[in-house]
Amino acid sequence: MGFVAPASGAEVAELEAAGAASFWVGGHVASVNPSPEPLVWLARLIEQTATAVVGTATLALPLYPPGLLAKQLADLDRASGGRITVGAGVGGEYPADFDACEVPLAQRGARADEMIPLLRRFWTARPVTHDGPHHNFRDVRIHPAPARAGGPPIVVTGRRAPAIRRAARLGDGWMPYLYSPERYARAARDIHDEAERAERDLAGFAWYAYVFTSVADSTAEARRHMLEFLAGTFRQDADAVLDRVAAAGTPDEVAARLRAFAEAGAGHLILCPCGPGPHATALRLLKEVAPQL
């Protein structure tokens, strides 16, 4: 069980000691909601943890020059002792991110498709020559290499058909959010079908699910906290979708909901605790829900 990382280093340490297996950071450059930049936060998180996996959920690949991003992630992987995972998407929900980075919004998918294999080539620490639609290099060498041969895993994030195709053909895993278990199971079958068409073996492929979670003594209280969080984050009424895409309720109800995601194929649950006390919620998830999974 992993968590969206709290901002406090002391809270990160307490959750790690309580059994959290991973911590995840997201962020933007110029979003509506105040937000950190994910690589800066990831660097801080590496120093706040000892053994947990640390990753991005999510990093918008098209915003970054590929050589610079390869260098930053290689350095971070070495600093962590090989503990980072790159949750990578295309962004787009905040067009201002792309304006700030001077990247055309319409090119985000094609740029991500080009960058994923390019990052892996840079992580060999050998000179790279590349002629592509968006990036061109002549004998560019990014070294030293990451801690792990081949570099950190690149887990494709996203909810729609292009992300599913990208995960199946290019990713080391897949991580959707705002999914129901039923939709997760259907999309997992689509990924297997797409990989088969590409003649790609998915052995070692990692299956993640990012789930907004609220736990309380009563179902009504947990749902109220969840609705307040979703409305504040996504600027819309979330009552109609809460039951499909979130886990809100008593510890037993949340455990049953998370088991449904596991039964749909999710092997790694990333929980975003929602409510007035997200740290207390995370501790409660570890103590009262995790033992039931």
Side-chain angles (χ1 to χ4, degrees):
M1 181 181 288
F3 292 92
V4 173
S8 163
E11 291 181 354
V12 169
E14 187 175 7
L15 291 177
E16 187 176 36
S22 62
F23 294 96
W24 302 83
V25 297
H28 295 275
V29 176
S31 62
V32 174
N33 297 314
S35 171
E37 191 281 324
L39 289 179
V40 172
W41 194 359
L42 184 62
R44 185 173 76 243
L45 186 60
I46 287 169
E47 298 302 315
Q48 295 172 340
T49 54
T51 60
V53 170
V54 292
T56 55
T58 187
L59 179 71
L61 287 182
L63 299 181
Y64 297 83
L68 177 61
L69 183 60
K71 177 63 174 173
Q72 290 172 316
L73 290 171
D75 289 347
L76 290 170
D77 194 53
R78 288 197 313 280
S80 72
R83 292 188 290 122
I84 74 167
T85 294
V86 183
V90 300
E93 63 269 40
Y94 298 117
D97 280 342
F98 289 79
D99 291 341
C101 296
E102 299 182 300
V103 173
L105 180 65
Q107 296 178 2
R108 65 191 188 279
R111 284 174 176 265
D113 289 343
E114 185 177 357
M115 282 181 68
I116 291 173
L118 189 52
L119 288 173
R120 294 193 181 109
R121 291 179 63 197
F122 278 133
W123 288 335
T124 65
R126 295 192 293 267
V128 170
T129 294
H130 172 80
D131 293 302
H134 306 291
H135 306 290
N136 295 274
F137 302 98
R138 287 288 177 274
D139 294 325
V140 173
R141 184 185 181 197
I142 306 295
H143 65 109
R148 287 162 291 180
I154 300 176
V155 175
V156 172
T157 67
R159 306 168 55 229
R160 304 189 187 280
I164 288 171
R165 290 193 295 270
R166 189 172 296 115
R169 292 178 173 268
L170 299 173
D172 297 311
W174 174 58
M175 182 198 305
Y177 80 115
L178 294 178
Y179 257 41
S180 67
E182 296 77 16
R183 186 178 179 187
Y184 193 102
R186 291 194 300 270
R189 290 192 294 270
D190 291 342
I191 288 175
H192 280 288
D193 291 344
E194 184 70 23
E196 185 175 352
R197 285 190 290 271
E199 300 182 341
R200 186 184 182 207
D201 184 358
L202 291 183
F205 191 88
W207 300 88
Y208 293 81
Y210 186 117
V211 185
F212 295 100
T213 310
S214 175
V215 62
D217 291 334
S218 72
T219 304
E221 181 185 2
R223 286 177 59 86
R224 184 176 71 255
H225 293 162
M226 177 64 70
L227 288 170
E228 290 171 354
F229 173 85
L230 293 177
T233 301
F234 297 105
R235 313 290 195 201
Q236 62 185 20
D237 181 8
D239 188 68
V241 301
L242 184 153
D243 290 327
R244 294 201 307 272
V245 304
T250 65
D252 289 347
E253 289 170 333
V254 170
R257 186 64 170 168
L258 296 180
R259 277 197 300 272
F261 279 97
E263 290 165 1
H268 305 266
L269 295 173
I270 301 170
L271 306 184
C272 179
C274 305
H279 183 61
T281 297
L283 286 171
R284 194 166 185 182
L285 288 164
L286 285 167
K287 294 174 182 177
E288 299 179 47
V289 174
Q292 300 188 52
L293 302 180

